[in-house]
Amino acid sequence: MIILADGGSTKTQWVVVDNKQTLAKTPTQVAPTIVRQIIAKGINPFFQTRDEIAAEIQEHLMQEIKGFSIDAVYFYGAGCSFPEKNEMVKSAIRQFIDAKIEVGSDLLAAARALCGKEPSIACIMGTGSNSCYYDGQTIQDNVSPLGFILGDEGSGAVLGKLLVGDCLKNQLSPELKEKFFAQFELTPAILLERVYKQAFPNRFLASLSPFLIQNINDPQVYALVFNAIKSFFVRNVMQYDYKKYKVHLVGSIAFYYKDIIQEVTKELGIDLGNIIKSPMEGLIKFHDENS
């Protein structure tokens, strides 16, 4: 059995896959079987220590896989783009599981899930955002996302940040502003506390972004979302050879705002490919075909 993990800043999806039929590589092999799925808290080595990551794994994963014989763990995660951060995650997993362990970025997961072995531009639009040119095997070019303070255009965190800023600076109608505060039981003081003084402000801000899709027919909301998504493509995707390769996207923001993404890419002359909510199904297929 193998474990695949899609670790984001907001949540981590662990999937245990029985791939023994795949490993046999017989003409009658069947698709790998998912034997367990676990949704747990997000894991990001930029915001957590090795011990904190290990505690998450022990609490949310280990009881769920008790008695399973694990051959390999493939962990793809936000913040896993640097060797020292990847080693931190490896070490946390190795504390509990004696198996082959590979750690890669969430961007590599997106590329493998979306493109398989086809050269393409792969993008993430979820709590954070990212993009790359993928040559069918490895990531060859990447515009640094820079996080939700300096970058992450079009992400849930940035959409939430823009929404909060517009509310606090009276850029939304009084009715819409009142509706926002009431729906989330917020005040200006609570908002500032959550953003500036509490942990994981990116998660908090992303949790507010559904308000935008719920009110997308409001002209002010539509303009906010359209401009934020356009900024993602202009500042990131258009730095690659976007005239030659299709652009594929994964993530909750990409999935729920796909109508606006289609409008933006049409305006910019970008060849839009697949839009999926989660990379897991594509990752299972990728590791099935390449085991």
Side-chain angles (χ1 to χ4, degrees):
M1 293 186 188
I2 66 171
I3 295 176
L4 297 173
D6 173 27
S9 293
T10 302
K11 68 178 181 180
T12 300
Q13 180 184 13
W14 301 88
V15 175
V16 182
V17 179
D18 184 352
N19 66 332
K20 60 180 180 294
Q21 291 289 338
T22 299
L23 294 174
K25 291 295 179 184
T26 64
T28 58
Q29 72 179 47
V30 296
T33 302
I34 297 174
V35 297
R36 192 66 51 88
Q37 291 194 67
I38 305 104
I39 303 297
K41 292 180 181 178
I43 289 176
N44 190 323
F46 266 97
F47 299 114
Q48 293 167 291
T49 66
R50 175 198 172 279
D51 289 344
E52 288 172 335
I53 294 171
E56 289 288 340
I57 292 169
Q58 183 177 35
E59 179 180 355
H60 297 290
L61 177 67
M62 296 315 298
Q63 286 299 316
E64 297 288 342
I65 65 170
K66 192 173 182 179
F68 291 167
S69 177
I70 305 300
D71 300 303
V73 179
Y74 300 94
F75 185 98
Y76 298 94
C80 296
S81 300
F82 300 92
E84 65 274 15
K85 299 299 183 184
N86 292 6
E87 188 54 43
M88 183 191 301
V89 177
K90 272 188 185 180
S91 177
I93 297 172
R94 194 180 294 118
Q95 181 176 332
F96 305 103
I97 302 173
D98 182 17
K100 173 185 176 182
I101 300 170
E102 289 187 10
V103 177
S105 68
D106 55 350
L107 193 55
L108 180 60
R112 287 177 168 178
L114 288 163
C115 314
K117 292 191 174 182
E118 175 188 356
S120 304
I121 296 168
C123 305
I124 296 171
M125 293 180 74
T127 299
S129 67
N130 207 343
S131 64
C132 70
Y133 164 62
Y134 172 73
D135 68 359
Q137 293 186 321
T138 60
I139 292 172
Q140 291 294 314
D141 193 10
N142 168 237
V143 178
S144 178
L146 297 179
F148 77 103
I149 295 176
L150 298 177
D152 271 6
E153 298 86 0
S155 69
V158 168
L159 287 172
K161 180 175 73 171
L162 293 171
L163 171 62
V164 168
D166 278 2
C167 278
L168 296 181
K169 286 185 175 284
N170 303 311
Q171 298 303 297
L172 299 180
S173 68
E175 296 78 16
L176 199 60
K177 180 178 176 180
E178 183 180 350
K179 181 179 179 181
F180 170 72
F181 283 130
Q183 181 171 324
F184 292 98
E185 298 181 346
L186 292 169
T187 65
I190 293 173
L191 276 173
L192 294 175
E193 171 79 19
R194 293 294 303 270
V195 171
Y196 287 108
K197 293 187 178 181
Q198 294 191 20
F200 300 109
N202 59 328
R203 293 183 188 176
F204 167 68
L205 290 168
S207 74
L208 304 177
S209 64
F211 182 83
L212 296 171
I213 196 67
Q214 294 163 11
N215 296 277
I216 199 65
N217 292 326
D218 183 285
Q220 295 167 306
V221 170
Y222 184 88
L224 183 156
V225 174
F226 186 93
N227 291 331
I229 289 175
K230 184 176 181 179
S231 180
F232 169 78
F233 284 97
V234 170
R235 293 168 65 86
N236 299 278
V237 174
M238 293 178 76
Q239 293 200 53
Y240 310 115
D241 192 356
Y242 71 97
K243 295 291 187 182
K244 182 177 180 181
Y245 299 104
K246 280 194 171 185
V247 177
H248 306 282
L249 299 103
V250 63
S252 57
I253 296 299
F255 184 80
Y256 288 113
Y257 293 92
K258 57 186 173 184
D259 289 344
I260 295 180
I261 288 172
Q262 288 169 349
E263 292 184 36
V264 168
T265 52
K266 183 178 180 181
E267 177 182 309
L268 297 175
I270 292 171
D271 189 4
L272 185 63
N274 300 322
I275 298 178
I276 60 176
K277 187 177 181 181
S278 167
M280 188 54 70
E281 184 177 346
L283 285 174
I284 293 171
K285 180 180 179 182
F286 179 87
H287 284 283
D288 174 33
E289 294 175 348
N290 294 278
S291 60

